[in-house]
Amino acid sequence: MKQESGLKNAGTLDPAFHGDGMMEMPTSTTAVAALQDKKLLVATGWLAGSGHTVSRFTDKGAFDQSFGKDGTVVIPDRGAVAMSPSAVIPLSTGGYLISGIQLVRADKLYVFGLLEDGRLDESFGDEGMVTL
C-alpha cells in the first residue's frame, strides 16, 4: 500500500505489506475498498449462519485493531436476509456503507451503515439497514 523509498520500479510489490507484498483474501470476499488513509476495507459474502463480515486492514496488511473486534465486524443476518455484499463505500464522515443483493431474491438491495470503528450505525435506516 505504501511503496518504500529506494525501490526502482513503480508497481513492484512492497515487502512491507504483509511481509511479501501480497495478502490472500478469504474465498468469500465480494467487495474491497482502498481507503484514503491507505487502509483496506474488505467485505465477505454470507456464510451459513454467520452473517457477513467486514474487515479493515492497515497499510501494512495487518488487521486494524481499532476496527470492530480484532479488525473484523460481523453484520448479523436479519431474518432471512442472506446478502452478498457488492460494494463498500467510504463516507466523508468516516463511516461506511455496505451494499449488496439478497442471494435468494436478487431483486432486493440491502445497504448497511457502519460507523468508523465498525459498529452498526443504528441511526441509518432501520437500526443500521435499508432495504430497496
Side-chain angles (χ1 to χ4, degrees):
M1 296 291 297
K2 181 171 73 173
Q3 197 73 295
E4 290 183 3
S5 62
L7 292 178
K8 296 181 181 182
N9 298 320
T12 59
L13 294 175
D14 180 357
F17 180 77
H18 205 256
D20 61 0
M22 297 183 292
M23 182 172 67
E24 187 173 338
M25 298 289 175
T27 57
S28 60
T29 298
T30 56
V32 178
L35 307 177
Q36 286 187 343
D37 58 1
K38 299 185 180 179
K39 294 179 181 181
L40 290 175
L41 201 66
V42 176
T44 63
W46 182 75
L47 302 172
S50 64
H52 325 287
T53 64
V54 178
S55 300
R56 191 168 65 192
F57 297 92
T58 67
D59 64 340
K60 300 289 185 197
F63 282 101
D64 184 346
Q65 299 299 312
S66 66
F67 184 81
K69 183 177 185 222
D70 299 325
T72 298
V73 296
V74 176
I75 300 172
D77 292 332
R78 298 269 179 95
V81 178
M83 181 188 82
S84 178
S86 56
V88 177
I89 305 161
L91 302 173
S92 61
T93 59
Y96 312 99
L97 295 179
I98 312 298
S99 69
I101 58 170
Q102 185 177 11
L103 293 176
V104 177
R105 292 185 54 188
D107 63 337
K108 287 195 175 186
L109 176 68
Y110 294 91
V111 181
F112 291 89
L114 297 180
L115 300 171
E116 188 171 13
D117 64 2
R119 290 178 293 139
L120 202 58
D121 183 354
E122 294 188 0
S123 70
F124 177 77
D126 180 19
E127 297 180 359
M129 182 179 87
V130 172
T131 304
L132 304 171

